[in-house]
Amino acid sequence: MSTQVPEQPEESTESAAETETQIPSKGDARREEKRRRAAERRAQKQAEEAERAAADEDTIELKVFRYDPEVEGKQEPRFDTFHVPFTKGMTVLDALMYARDTYDSSLTFRHSCRQAICGSDAMFVNGSQKLACKTQISELQEPIRVEPLPHAEVTKDLVIEMEHFYEQMHAVEPYFQTNELPDGELEEQRQSRENREKIKMSTRCIWCSACMSSCNIAAGDNEYLGPAAINKAYRFAMDEREGEDIKQKRLEIIEQEHGVWRCQTQFSCTEVCPKDIPLTEHIQELKREAVKNNLKFW
Amino acid sequence: MHEHDVIVVGAGGAGLRAAIAAQEAGADAAIVSKLHPVRSHTGAAEGGINAALREADSWEDHAYDTMKGSDYLGDAPAVEALCKGSPEEVITLEHWGMPFSREEDGRVSQRPFGGLSFPRTTYAGAETGHQMLHAMYEQVVKRGITVYDEWHVMDLAVTDEEDPEDRTCYGVVAYDIASGEISGFRANDGVILATGGMGQVYDHTTNAVANTGDGVAMAYRAGVPMEDMEFIQFHPTTLPSTGVLISEGVRGEGGILYNAEGERFMFEHGYANNAGELASRDVVSRAELTEVNEGRGIEDEYVHLDMRHLGEERIIDRLENILHLAEDFEGADGLTEPMPVKPGQHYGMGGVETNEHGETCISGLYAVGECACASVHGANRLGGNALPELIVFGKRAGRHAAGDDLGEAEIPTGKTGEYEMADYEFETELGELGGTSPAAADGGAVVTDPETVLSAAVQRAEAYVEELMDRRGRNHAEIRSAVQKTMTQHVNVFREEPGLKQALEDIQEAREAYKDVAVSDPSRTYNTDLIHTMETRNLLDIAEALTMGALARKEFRGAHWRKENQIRDDEEWLKHTMVSWNDGEPELWYKPVILEGENKTYEPKVRSY
Ligand SMILES: Cc1cc2nc3c(=O)[nH]c(=O)nc-3n(C[C@H](O)[C@H](O)[C@H](O)COP(=O)(O)OP(=O)(O)OC[C@H]3O[C@@H](n4cnc5c(N)ncnc54)[C@H](O)[C@@H]3O)c2cc1C
Ligand code: SF4
Ligand code: FES
């Protein structure tokens, strides 16, 4: 039996609208940047591995934030130290699971897929927002500090309250709307490859909330929609299948007082997004769209 | 207590589709899920959704391919429902905005997939499942369907008549993970289980940590048989440290498998002289394990998948996502080194026995998606056939529960049709060892009042949790890991009698250990120690039923291979394996396969490609 699954070639057509943003051949630049970063990381990794071997280190030290509102001794936040044997390919999530299953079964964190798709395990690792399952131990300085995402209420240990994030996501009418469905029952709406390519990155969001946690504006303004929700609005506003009237409505939503104009282009969200979504660019483009549509300023 | 017309347990593709359908049919539907919907493992699917969308294709061809792929263990009425329903469902997803990959003319793209006679696999880049899950969750938000997220369903509220076929399900009992509250959820019209896969029965799997087969185990203990559990699909190229799947695309593009001695073993050791690396999943998996078992594995564990010779340009162009996976999850750089791979559990073809409407033999109880067995996959699932199953059967069950008439079902459930008891003597004691059973029948008078049935189930659940929390004893992690280890060692792609017997003994030992399991985290707030402990019990029941089926079935069909008889034996084994809980004393029986379709009978042929 042939189980061959030919991979679809990378769809790299740049859309006209994207060129309008005056960042020429962004795809190439991004790939170039990726290659460069990969090379850098390789070099760094090799150096680190050599260092590690020299020091004959085979365990790693984790300092993990602990808190439980109910349990005596854990009501005051503290850090616990765990020593975990290092194995090649080990991620922060692997290390946490090892610590939990071996030393302390009350160590609590969300996780499920272990492959950066369920968005459960965004944490604050050595001072930046990371998906634990997608972060190689070998790339981190020791001791590794693992904390819950900042700017959110902590439920317990590394688990944060997600309700606020979900509310913001729901606030932008995060669902496809169109008045232009084809008549034939088995007929799809047409969408150009260019348009699909344009929204592609925006559809990759896994609702991990790392971006929201990294954003200074969101920290100061609890009602700010935040990068992920605005990106969700972008995903629909730019989808040509929705039609102009609905796009108008979408721009009104993101233009509200706590919408796009709050963003001060600090790029912190873009830097932490584990799905490489160009969040800041998307926000900027929506601002331009809003201006173009002559909607009122706040 | 909460009350709705239809309660859907699980919020992956199957659960979301079921809830939407029930609501569209006029019911008040609610979803109860231990994960927030977007965290469900449907999001991990990469490849695509099979649907006969185009003029040159037909549902009949799709059905033929599926029956053949199933090694004639699929039931034709279910297979035909899948193939007929899929095109409409895929177009519905498109109308809900799902960003499919597109052709030049703007229509959705389709690509070829293993075992298909037509390129009918619709996809969205390498992230089909993610896009499908999110498009459906968006519809749930739009419709305002109630979602109880991070509520772990512990048990079903089912009456306790002698015969499971006489029982009725009135709701579920769930545990609020954030607060520790236990609550009953009354379902006026039906409960739909959509709890996904059970990959955590194995220690190496492409499945998520949350895929512990809860729905299958709950239904089983309530009296619904598990069907065809021994049929487990293993994927030959998963990363050793996490089980993350490296798609067939790498081998499709020309990736080569090497052993520790640098031999291209698929050819050099004669496993597949024609197809080589492109042989079917089970052939490649067995070849890899043979290499390791015969001492030619790397670190006695895995083999190498090398794509360096394809060149940086081509790799980055076509397989960029693979580079990221290998780097992020294995710390391996596919451009400069070969990637370590080994076989991993991938998909369970079996599950909760249902008919083509998703109904089980217990009235008011349905199951859909990977946790169910209708059966569309039989002995082996074709790639791209699970996602359409979610939407086709999700919708059917949702509508049926809400009262829509889908006509008379052709597949009998429970012991209502033809069946035979197995004459296999198990040497090991099986089933309940007098431990705590949340669904233990108490033998008293039959209670049929819905409120009483539900509150009794809530009380049992409360007592169970209390006991687990109060007790001192062993941690679930060692028990879980013992089961996973024995399953991976003995009930994998190689299966032979002594190993399978050993596995049953080990599972029994784990059951013994589970009698002293205890939760050491005293907190009611987000107690994952408790959740994992409850899940582990489900894994025990599933591992046992699976191994019972594997031990009894002495033939090689689809994904199930037996050393003692390496051929498909239609004379003896053209039948479904059924395992019933039987109030704590598992029993094995068989029911016939239905090969008669709407217009034709699918005659078993040799499964060669
Ligand atoms: C890596 C990978 C790639 C795949 N690729 C493809 C592909 O390309 N094409 C294809 O057709 N198939 C593919 N499959 C198979 C397919 O993705 C799955 O079979 C399918 O997504 C399962 O969907 P589901 O809705 O049944 O379950 P899931 O999506 O797993 O959802 C289960 C739900 O049940 C809930 N749940 C579980 N237990 C409980 C409980 N006790 N209480 C409350 N809620 C509970 C969970 O919270 C979750 O919401 C792939 C599978 C994997 C692992
Ligand atoms: S935009 Fe990126 S960082 Fe923000 S929630 Fe989505 S995936 Fe996470
Ligand atoms: S565990 Fe799913 S994103 Fe990390």
Side-chain angles (χ1 to χ4, degrees):
Chain A
M1 168 176 144
S2 159
T3 46
Q4 169 179 349
V5 184
E7 281 286 322
Q8 185 66 4
E10 263 290 309
E11 301 156 344
S12 56
T13 352
E14 291 295 326
S15 75
E18 260 177 336
T19 335
E20 248 171 53
T21 65
Q22 289 172 350
I23 306 175
S25 65
K26 205 168 47 183
D28 286 346
R30 211 182 301 136
R31 267 189 293 277
E32 186 50 45
E33 168 69 3
K34 262 202 176 119
R35 235 169 280 169
R36 195 183 55 73
R37 280 210 314 258
E40 250 175 42
R41 267 200 302 268
R42 267 198 301 278
Q44 203 187 340
K45 213 157 56 183
Q46 274 162 11
E48 275 168 16
E49 257 160 35
E51 220 177 80
R52 200 181 296 279
D56 194 19
E57 271 177 47
D58 48 10
T59 66
I60 49 156
E61 189 178 331
L62 289 178
K63 288 194 178 303
V64 184
F65 178 92
R66 306 301 302 272
Y67 164 75
D68 188 321
E70 270 190 72
V71 175
E72 219 177 307
K74 274 180 83 181
Q75 282 154 339
E76 274 305 307
R78 61 162 202 252
F79 280 86
D80 281 354
T81 301
F82 298 102
H83 294 275
V84 173
F86 175 80
T87 49
K88 185 176 184 296
M90 183 177 243
T91 62
V92 172
L93 180 64
D94 294 331
L96 287 170
M97 288 170 75
Y98 184 93
R100 177 195 64 200
D101 292 344
T102 319
Y103 305 124
D104 181 353
S105 61
S106 73
L107 179 58
T108 305
F109 44 92
R110 286 194 182 92
H111 65 303
S112 187
C113 70
R114 303 163 303 149
Q115 55 188 86
I117 198 68
C118 76
S120 301
D121 62 342
M123 309 173 181
F124 204 49
V125 180
N126 280 356
S128 63
Q129 285 80 2
K130 301 256 188 213
L131 278 186
C133 64
K134 192 177 177 259
T135 305
Q136 289 284 319
I137 293 283
S138 59
E139 292 180 2
L140 298 169
Q141 290 276 343
E142 277 188 60
I144 299 167
R145 264 173 88 91
V146 188
E147 298 164 76
L149 286 182
H151 307 310
E153 205 179 309
V154 179
T155 307
K156 173 176 172 180
D157 293 351
L158 303 170
V159 174
I160 57 159
E161 182 53 68
M162 292 292 291
E163 220 37 59
H164 176 61
F165 177 78
Y166 295 148
E167 274 164 21
Q168 302 306 76
M169 294 302 278
H170 292 173
V172 296
E173 301 193 2
Y175 37 82
F176 187 72
Q177 304 175 48
T178 185
N179 302 322
E180 297 163 16
L181 282 185
D183 298 330
E185 206 178 286
L186 279 184
E187 214 180 304
E188 62 260 57
Q189 276 194 295
R190 304 289 173 115
Q191 181 182 28
S192 68
R193 283 185 167 173
E194 290 72 23
N195 187 249
R196 200 243 167 204
E197 186 65 21
K198 179 169 181 62
I199 62 165
K200 182 173 92 180
M201 293 310 288
S202 68
T203 64
R204 293 202 168 154
C205 175
I206 56 173
W207 297 44
C208 72
S209 90
C211 53
M212 186 81 138
S213 165
S214 77
C215 175
N216 275 332
I217 314 300
D221 173 6
N222 207 35
E223 284 175 61
Y224 175 45
L225 287 171
I230 297 176
N231 175 67
K232 194 76 172 169
Y234 175 97
R235 177 252 170 278
F236 291 112
M238 297 299 164
D239 192 320
E240 66 187 10
R241 292 173 295 169
E242 280 210 335
E244 275 308 310
D245 47 339
I246 291 163
K247 180 168 183 177
Q248 196 71 27
K249 183 169 83 171
R250 295 211 177 269
L251 290 174
E252 279 163 29
I253 295 175
I254 53 101
E255 257 233 316
Q256 47 137 321
E257 190 178 348
H258 302 280
V260 285
W261 299 110
R262 288 284 153 137
C263 169
Q264 294 176 5
T265 348
Q266 293 172 347
F267 287 93
S268 57
C269 54
T270 306
E271 269 158 34
V272 301
C273 176
K275 290 303 191 185
D276 298 327
I277 304 172
L279 293 161
T280 314
E281 267 176 47
H282 288 173
I283 298 174
Q284 291 300 93
E285 199 180 334
L286 281 176
K287 287 181 186 169
R288 283 194 296 274
E289 284 290 314
V291 172
K292 252 194 350 214
N293 276 267
N294 267 336
L295 291 169
K296 64 177 190 288
F297 267 82
W298 283 95
Chain B
M1 197 192 74
H2 304 273
E3 183 172 347
H4 296 276
D5 294 339
V6 175
I7 300 279
V8 180
V9 182
L16 296 176
R17 190 65 189 86
I20 294 168
Q23 202 220 26
E24 279 185 344
D28 158 31
I31 298 171
V32 187
S33 178
K34 68 179 177 183
L35 303 174
H36 181 279
V38 302
R39 319 279 173 226
S40 305
H41 207 50
T42 292
E46 295 175 3
I49 316 173
N50 298 337
L53 286 177
R54 302 295 172 226
E55 284 286 299
D57 197 7
S58 71
W59 72 260
E60 287 90 346
D61 288 351
H62 185 188
Y64 177 85
D65 294 342
T66 304
M67 286 301 284
K68 181 176 169 198
S70 81
D71 231 354
Y72 302 92
L73 210 60
D75 285 315
V79 168
E80 293 190 343
L82 172 85
C83 303
K84 277 193 219 168
S86 183
E88 186 189 329
E89 284 308 303
V90 166
I91 295 301
T92 299
L93 286 173
E94 199 282 333
H95 290 178
W96 288 344
M98 179 169 161
F100 284 104
S101 294
R102 300 281 167 165
E103 288 304 305
E104 210 50 79
D105 66 1
R107 302 201 302 171
V108 301
S109 299
Q110 296 199 298
R111 62 182 168 200
F113 237 49
L116 298 184
S117 55
F118 188 89
R120 68 169 72 89
T121 308
T122 336
Y123 60 98
E127 56 209 31
T128 312
H130 166 79
Q131 300 296 2
M132 176 171 161
L133 181 69
H134 282 257
M136 278 201 272
Y137 178 60
E138 288 158 12
Q139 291 300 309
V140 164
V141 173
K142 178 178 177 192
R143 288 149 209 260
I145 294 172
T146 309
V147 180
Y148 300 89
D149 77 292
E150 300 199 333
W151 280 79
H152 175 91
V153 173
M154 295 176 59
D155 199 7
L156 305 171
V158 172
T159 56
D160 59 357
E161 285 87 350
E162 176 89 28
D163 293 328
E165 295 78 13
D166 296 331
R167 297 177 191 165
T168 308
C169 178
Y170 289 122
V172 306
V173 182
Y175 176 93
D176 179 15
I177 301 174
S179 72
E181 175 198 338
I182 292 175
S183 185
F185 289 74
R186 168 93 167 87
N188 297 319
D189 299 334
V191 169
I192 301 177
L193 296 171
T195 54
M198 35 57 85
Q200 288 297 321
V201 166
Y202 290 87
D203 73 359
H204 194 75
T205 171
T206 62
N207 282 197
V209 176
N211 288 7
T212 48
D214 301 353
V216 181
M218 282 187 275
Y220 175 62
R221 293 193 295 263
V224 184
M226 293 196 211
E227 178 174 348
D228 292 338
M229 291 300 288
E230 67 269 33
F231 295 99
I232 300 287
Q233 189 168 77
F234 291 84
H235 198 287
T237 54
T238 69
L239 297 175
S241 62
T242 49
V244 167
L245 184 127
I246 297 299
S247 87
E248 263 117 2
V250 178
R251 282 171 290 140
E253 290 291 334
I256 297 176
L257 290 166
Y258 292 109
N259 62 18
E261 278 143 38
E263 294 166 317
R264 188 174 182 182
F265 57 86
M266 289 308 296
F267 291 103
E268 290 183 48
H269 288 271
Y271 299 105
N273 288 325
N274 295 319
E277 279 82 6
L278 295 176
S280 69
R281 288 179 180 177
D282 53 324
V283 171
V284 180
S285 295
R286 272 191 296 277
E288 290 174 1
L289 267 194
T290 306
E291 290 301 300
V292 172
N293 291 344
E294 292 180 358
R296 295 187 297 273
I298 297 135
E299 293 182 20
D300 274 336
E301 193 195 352
Y302 51 84
V303 296
H304 274 148
L305 175 59
D306 200 344
M307 58 179 187
R308 290 174 296 181
H309 58 286
L310 302 177
E312 183 164 333
E313 191 118 329
R314 179 144 163 225
I315 296 175
I316 290 184
D317 185 37
R318 302 237 167 155
L319 300 167
E320 195 189 352
N321 71 320
I322 302 294
L323 279 184
H324 293 312
L325 292 177
E327 182 183 318
D328 295 340
F329 304 111
E330 196 67 39
D333 177 3
L335 288 177
T336 61
E337 56 188 324
M339 300 175 287
V341 292
K342 70 179 207 181
Q345 189 279 350
H346 185 47
Y347 187 88
M349 268 71 75
V352 180
E353 186 214 30
T354 72
N355 63 22
E356 67 272 35
H357 302 339
E359 292 175 282
T360 71
C361 65
I362 292 184
S363 102
L365 183 63
Y366 298 76
V368 288
E370 191 169 339
C371 74
C373 183
S375 146
V376 292
H377 309 302
N380 184 43
R381 175 183 71 99
L382 291 183
N385 258 358
L387 294 178
E389 178 188 16
L390 309 183
I391 44 185
V392 169
F393 291 94
K395 178 174 173 186
R396 291 171 75 86
R399 286 183 54 197
H400 195 278
D404 273 6
D405 185 7
L406 301 184
E408 192 77 28
E410 283 173 54
I411 302 173
T413 55
K415 290 178 182 161
T416 55
E418 219 181 293
Y419 72 96
E420 67 180 284
M421 298 306 294
D423 64 354
Y424 190 94
E425 285 290 322
F426 291 97
E427 292 158 15
T428 327
E429 201 190 332
L430 300 168
E432 198 63 60
L433 302 171
T436 335
S437 166
D442 57 11
V446 173
V447 180
T448 53
D449 167 52
E451 302 299 322
T452 320
V453 171
L454 185 57
S455 63
V458 170
Q459 275 165 22
R460 269 198 314 270
E462 279 167 352
Y464 180 53
V465 167
E466 205 125 299
E467 186 179 344
L468 289 176
M469 303 275 292
D470 286 352
R471 216 173 11 201
R472 275 173 195 283
R474 311 157 82 118
N475 183 259
H476 70 87
E478 50 178 293
I479 301 172
R480 186 184 280 214
S481 129
V483 173
Q484 291 173 333
K485 286 227 168 71
T486 191
M487 293 300 287
T488 303
Q489 191 179 350
H490 300 301
V491 201
N492 59 14
V493 290
F494 284 113
R495 296 175 175 181
E496 45 183 314
E497 189 156 317
L500 293 166
K501 287 184 169 164
Q502 182 61 47
L504 272 188
E505 274 174 38
D506 293 345
I507 293 164
Q508 206 43 227
E509 208 168 286
R511 271 198 195 281
E512 191 66 44
Y514 193 83
K515 284 205 275 184
D516 321 308
V517 79
V519 174
S520 50
D521 186 348
S523 180
R524 279 280 177 165
T525 305
Y526 222 96
N527 191 332
T528 51
D529 191 3
L530 173 63
I531 300 298
H532 296 155
T533 304
M534 296 197 272
E535 291 169 347
T536 299
R537 172 165 207 273
N538 298 332
L539 294 177
L540 287 167
D541 288 339
I542 290 171
E544 181 180 82
L546 193 167
T547 310
M548 285 169 68
L551 189 50
R553 186 180 285 272
K554 260 197 210 125
E555 66 157 347
F556 171 21
R557 181 183 301 272
H560 173 69
W561 181 94
R562 277 296 297 268
K563 184 164 182 215
E564 295 82 359
N565 191 19
Q566 301 176 25
I567 50 157
R568 188 176 86 194
D569 180 357
D570 288 338
E571 199 70 9
E572 179 65 25
W573 289 107
L574 196 57
K575 57 192 181 188
H576 295 293
T577 303
M578 314 297 291
V579 182
S580 289
W581 178 235
N582 191 26
D583 295 326
E585 289 168 37
E587 78 181 2
L588 183 68
W589 51 287
Y590 298 101
K591 74 171 189 183
V593 182
I594 304 178
L595 297 175
E596 293 79 35
E598 194 176 275
N599 305 314
K600 69 192 255 200
T601 296
Y602 299 84
E603 294 297 340
K605 297 206 175 72
V606 179
R607 191 173 65 104
S608 69
Y609 291 95

